Amino acid sequence: KKNWSMDEKVLSKKYYSLAKIKQVEAEYKMLLGGRNIGKSYATKEDVIIECIKNDGQFTYLRRWDRDIKGVYVVNYFNDINWKKIHEKTGREFSGVYYWQGKIFLCNFDADGKVVDKYHVGYSHSLSQNERYKSQMFPRVLYTIFEEVITDQM
């Protein structure tokens, strides 16, 4: 019986690749596909890498303000491969910190306190769009709009 590590298991499965869609020149790109094939994972990992490399930021967009509560935002990013982020950017992070609509990549000290935080994004909801009018987000390069089409449609 082979003793599989988590990385070997992950590598043995087929997950979504952004390679083809990144070749398409379009102002907006939309990924549609089955559940649990890695669309969100591939997107957030790629967007984080691109934002770090280009000193940019992203917006994590959801339909409802209840979907962008701190615990939900942090959980959304819990599966990030921090080793890959480091390999691609030279920056080391170990987690995500969320405060007042801002998303930070960070490290934690021995007491669990946030150190070395890097502001990489924002969270917004469509239901609160009036609050964002006339606000400037000059470093935002990408928008990750999750659950565009819901089961309730």
Side-chain angles (χ1 to χ4, degrees):
K1 180 177 171 182
K2 185 168 178 154
N3 184 12
W4 288 89
S5 73
M6 181 57 122
D7 290 341
E8 290 172 315
K9 285 181 183 178
V10 168
L11 292 174
S12 69
K13 293 182 180 181
K14 289 191 177 187
Y15 287 103
Y16 200 88
S17 169
L18 298 178
K20 287 185 181 179
I21 198 160
K22 286 179 79 171
Q23 294 173 3
V24 175
E25 292 200 27
E27 190 169 351
Y28 302 101
K29 299 176 185 181
M30 186 173 190
L31 305 178
L32 298 174
R35 296 189 60 78
N36 295 319
I37 61 171
K39 297 179 304 296
S40 294
Y41 179 84
T43 300
K44 61 189 162 187
E45 184 176 83
D46 187 69
V47 165
I48 286 172
I49 290 168
E50 290 301 315
C51 286
I52 293 170
K53 284 182 173 180
N54 297 299
D55 193 34
Q57 295 172 325
F58 66 87
T59 294
Y60 173 54
L61 183 63
R62 296 295 299 246
R63 288 176 174 269
W64 310 108
D65 59 332
R66 67 179 175 260
D67 295 330
I68 58 169
K69 300 283 187 225
V71 67
Y72 300 129
V73 174
V74 171
N75 284 342
Y76 177 75
F77 293 98
N78 270 348
D79 60 350
I80 293 295
N81 180 341
W82 298 112
K83 183 178 176 184
K84 184 173 182 180
I85 301 293
H86 173 68
E87 290 169 358
K88 299 273 186 178
T89 67
R91 300 287 305 266
E92 286 191 47
F93 300 103
S94 60
V96 170
Y97 171 71
Y98 180 77
W99 179 252
Q100 296 184 340
K102 295 179 182 176
I103 301 167
F104 299 89
L105 304 180
C106 67
N107 290 303
F108 300 96
D109 66 14
D111 296 325
K113 292 186 181 178
V114 172
V115 294
D116 188 32
K117 63 184 178 183
Y118 178 81
H119 183 198
V120 72
Y122 299 91
S123 67
H124 294 118
S125 68
L126 291 180
S127 65
Q128 299 292 317
N129 69 325
E130 292 292 321
R131 292 185 181 169
Y132 310 125
K133 281 186 176 180
S134 302
Q135 289 190 30
M136 301 298 294
F137 301 95
R139 291 179 51 215
V140 170
L141 305 174
Y142 301 95
T143 298
I144 301 172
F145 187 0
E146 278 290 339
E147 304 298 332
V148 174
I149 300 173
T150 68
D151 294 337
Q152 298 167 355
M153 294 183 104

